[in-house]
Amino acid sequence: MLDNILSILIFFPALAGVLGFMIHKDSMRAYGVAVATIEFGLALWLWYAFDNTVAGMQFIEQVALIPTFGINYIIGVDGISLFIIVLAAFFTLIGIASLTDTKNVKNMIITLLMLQMTMVGVFVALDAIIFYIFWELSLVPMLYIIGAWGGPLRIYASVKFFLYTFAGSLVMLVGMLFMAYFYYQATGVWSFAILDWYRLILPENFQLWLFAAFFVGFAIKVPMFPFHTWLPYAHGQAPTIGSVILAAILLKMGTYAFIRFSLPLFPDAATFFMFPIAILAIIMIVYTAMVAYAQEDVKQVVAYSSVSHMGVIILGTFALNVEGITGSIFLMIAHGVVSGALFLLVGVIYDRRHTKMMSEFGGLAHVMPRYATIFGLMMMASVGMPLTINFVGEFLSLLGFYQQSHILTLLAGIAIIVGAIYMLAAYKKMFFGELTNEKNRNLPDVSKRELVALIPLSIITIWLGIYPKPILDPINNSVESIVQLMHDKSTSEEAKKRIPNLAREAGLVTSQEAH
């Protein structure tokens, strides 16, 4: 079964979703929880069977689809993608288990299972066309979730989300087709296999154009400034489960794709664009943090803070060294846990009061102490408090980029402080002081069903903040192979200077042999 575990992880939830149409609506919640539990169990089994000492791809499956054009079903997993797959399975389970009595819950659960198929598919695909298919298919369930269960502006938000990401994906597809063409020119064989492309060394001018094509698709998905304007609408109008999955998993597709495609394929271009992208990342951190501070809607505060934290992930990714990239991947996981928990917490209070305006609250700690405690923990994690999960990722990301630029890293570090200001201000408005609104006096604290979702996230937040080694080691091994590949493929002197030669640093080759 391990030989096909990745295919099972992809298609099991989709098959279960199709069978879900035959399940009675009263039994659908139990059915959805059962399916998601099995999927999460399979993801944990994958983690258990994963060899942490191997840097390359594991559990590779390959089936020829259109051999003439080099299109094959190739999937595999390494330390970079492993934990995002586990996170996707975990949040799908939490999302289905914590669903409130929403309209047409049967269709919602089926949609979530279909979305899970596309998410896992993106993170295991090793053929560019298969990657692109799953990447595009992920738009459809989220479009439906926002459009069918969202707020008053749900149609506008869902259409904007779809058009932005779909347009960027088309530009990315053009880059993939040109990449396959260059591989054909070099070898005489068509191939869309990413591992085949890794062996191709492109001239620097070609790298710049192809990097730009891939960048558009990935940057919109992240979303990077100035492509970020679709995200606050999507978060603001999406139901709680939509915001949770979007923040925890879907936004990570863009940052993951930078590491899987842009860095190893175009190392010279990545070096060339490193500082412009770093400046955009710092703008993301500062600008969206300031916008978050100005919000009156607590869900919009969390939404803009999500964009701000993605800026730190981008900064670590384009540090182009092991510390930065490892930190950015760890921060993807950390951000998924913390932002997902924060959106769940916003959903808890919205279910009780049907408002997200902070002015409607105040003194909630008096009537909802458990809720206030968990919210406070996640707020502290969000601002990067030491011994919480975000601190590890942010520290490594900034440490990595510090090797490239002291000044920009200092600016980014100062900008993160703004995050503490708006999160503390939001927490003060909602939880401290006297109880100002009589409607809040008899609000029930978090229920057992809600605690089932929130307590595991709280434990993970503290556990991985104190002891991140089980996650960092597999990530670090795979990142080292990516960084060494980038160095070996780089042709410009600037890239050779910026991207470390890990083999030489480890004493495996002499400096003369390295050149």
Side-chain angles (χ1 to χ4, degrees):
M1 185 175 173
L2 276 174
D3 293 338
N4 304 107
I5 190 170
L6 295 183
S7 291
I8 295 171
L9 279 167
I10 295 172
F11 297 112
F12 170 67
L15 176 60
V18 172
L19 295 176
F21 286 108
M22 297 182 286
I23 304 297
H24 191 274
K25 62 180 181 181
D26 294 338
S27 305
M28 193 62 196
R29 190 188 303 273
Y31 174 78
V33 170
V35 171
T37 301
I38 294 171
E39 179 79 355
F40 181 53
L42 289 170
L44 291 178
W45 189 13
L46 176 69
W47 184 5
Y48 175 77
F50 187 85
D51 188 346
N52 294 336
T53 63
V54 176
M57 291 292 170
Q58 301 180 43
F59 308 106
I60 293 178
E61 301 174 39
Q62 182 168 348
V63 178
L65 296 179
I66 312 176
T68 305
F69 294 100
I71 300 174
N72 302 287
Y73 173 78
I74 309 174
I75 56 176
V77 66
D78 62 357
I80 296 170
S81 55
L82 171 66
F83 299 105
I84 310 178
I85 296 168
V86 176
L87 196 67
F90 184 51
F91 268 104
T92 304
L93 173 58
I94 285 180
I96 294 176
S98 62
L99 273 179
T100 53
D101 293 327
T102 184
K103 62 178 182 179
N104 212 339
V105 69
K106 178 175 179 176
N107 282 0
M108 170 66 89
I109 291 173
I110 292 172
T111 305
L112 288 172
L113 293 175
M114 292 297 180
L115 180 59
Q116 186 172 23
M117 173 196 72
T118 64
M119 292 188 297
V120 176
V122 165
F123 294 116
V124 301
L126 296 180
D127 182 276
I129 296 299
I130 301 301
F131 174 89
Y132 180 79
I133 289 172
F134 283 122
W135 176 281
E136 291 291 73
L137 284 177
S138 68
L139 301 181
V140 180
M142 185 53 67
L143 175 75
Y144 184 43
I145 289 172
I146 299 173
W149 290 278
L153 298 176
R154 60 186 180 274
I155 301 302
Y156 174 79
S158 58
V159 170
K160 187 170 187 176
F161 158 73
F162 184 87
L163 290 180
Y164 263 68
T165 49
F166 184 70
S169 301
L170 289 178
V171 180
M172 177 184 74
L173 177 61
V174 172
M176 289 178 172
L177 294 175
F178 269 99
M179 193 68 202
Y181 175 73
F182 286 132
Y183 186 85
Y184 174 76
Q185 290 290 95
T187 65
V189 177
W190 286 99
S191 177
F192 285 88
I194 300 170
L195 299 181
D196 286 344
W197 289 359
Y198 281 179
R199 297 196 291 268
L200 193 63
I201 299 178
L202 297 173
E204 187 174 359
N205 59 332
F206 287 158
Q207 287 191 37
L208 295 177
W209 286 106
L210 286 169
F211 181 95
F214 281 81
F215 176 83
V216 172
F218 302 158
I220 291 175
K221 197 78 167 184
V222 169
M224 288 183 65
F225 176 88
F227 308 109
H228 68 286
T229 56
W230 63 266
L231 184 64
Y233 281 101
H235 271 314
Q237 298 303 310
T240 298
I241 183 59
S243 293
V244 169
I245 297 295
L246 182 61
I249 309 300
L250 292 185
L251 298 188
K252 310 306 180 292
M253 290 182 180
T255 48
Y256 165 81
F258 274 125
I259 297 170
R260 182 65 73 212
F261 286 89
S262 300
L263 300 190
L265 291 179
F266 319 117
D268 296 320
T271 307
F272 181 86
F273 287 113
M274 178 177 64
F275 287 117
I277 290 174
I279 291 170
L280 286 179
I282 293 172
I283 293 173
M284 284 173 65
I285 299 168
V286 179
Y287 167 68
T288 53
M290 295 173 68
V291 174
Y293 183 75
Q295 299 303 306
E296 294 296 329
D297 182 329
V298 64
K299 193 173 186 182
Q300 290 289 2
V301 173
V302 179
Y304 279 106
S305 75
S306 183
V307 180
S308 184
H309 286 102
M310 295 304 289
V312 183
I313 294 174
I314 291 295
L315 199 67
T317 300
F318 282 89
L320 306 183
N321 53 43
V322 175
E323 294 85 357
I325 299 173
T326 298
S328 72
I329 296 168
F330 189 90
L331 190 53
M332 289 183 214
I333 299 161
H335 177 266
V337 171
V338 174
S339 63
L342 285 171
F343 278 115
L344 279 173
L345 288 162
V346 172
V348 167
I349 199 67
Y350 182 77
D351 290 339
R352 287 156 173 73
R353 283 293 320 277
H354 300 289
T355 180
K356 296 169 287 188
M357 304 304 293
M358 290 183 287
S359 59
E360 288 290 316
F361 305 108
L364 282 181
H366 296 295
V367 294
M368 303 177 68
R370 291 196 299 270
Y371 179 73
T373 301
I374 298 173
F375 202 111
L377 170 63
M378 291 304 170
M379 181 270 295
M380 289 296 182
S382 179
V383 303
M385 178 68 71
L387 302 183
T388 62
I389 189 171
N390 272 26
F391 173 77
V392 178
E394 289 183 359
F395 177 79
L396 286 174
S397 297
L398 295 178
L399 178 65
F401 205 83
Y402 186 78
Q403 300 175 33
Q404 305 291 7
S405 171
H406 300 353
I407 300 299
L408 290 180
T409 306
L410 179 64
L411 289 175
I414 294 173
I416 291 174
I417 297 173
V418 182
I421 295 173
Y422 66 73
M423 290 302 289
L424 288 170
Y427 193 80
K428 178 184 176 182
K429 289 179 184 177
M430 292 183 64
F431 295 97
F432 290 159
E434 297 298 322
L435 194 66
T436 55
N437 192 329
E438 287 299 318
K439 295 179 180 178
N440 301 328
R441 188 167 298 279
N442 297 315
L443 289 179
D445 209 343
V446 283
S447 65
K448 291 180 180 179
R449 178 175 57 83
E450 291 162 342
L451 286 174
V452 167
L454 293 171
I455 286 179
L457 293 172
S458 302
I459 293 172
I460 291 170
T461 299
I462 298 172
W463 168 47
L464 291 180
I466 296 173
Y467 187 65
K469 183 179 173 64
I471 307 294
L472 281 177
D473 281 353
I475 293 174
N476 196 74
N477 288 339
S478 295
V479 168
E480 285 181 350
S481 67
I482 290 288
V483 171
Q484 187 59 48
L485 177 66
M486 291 168 60
H487 182 276
D488 293 342
K489 290 180 59 176
S490 58
T491 58
S492 70
E493 289 302 318
E494 181 69 11
K496 291 286 188 184
K497 182 177 74 172
R498 297 287 180 186
I499 303 170
N501 183 351
L502 301 179
R504 187 174 66 200
E505 291 176 6
L508 300 179
V509 296
T510 65
S511 57
Q512 289 183 338
E513 290 173 331
H515 290 286

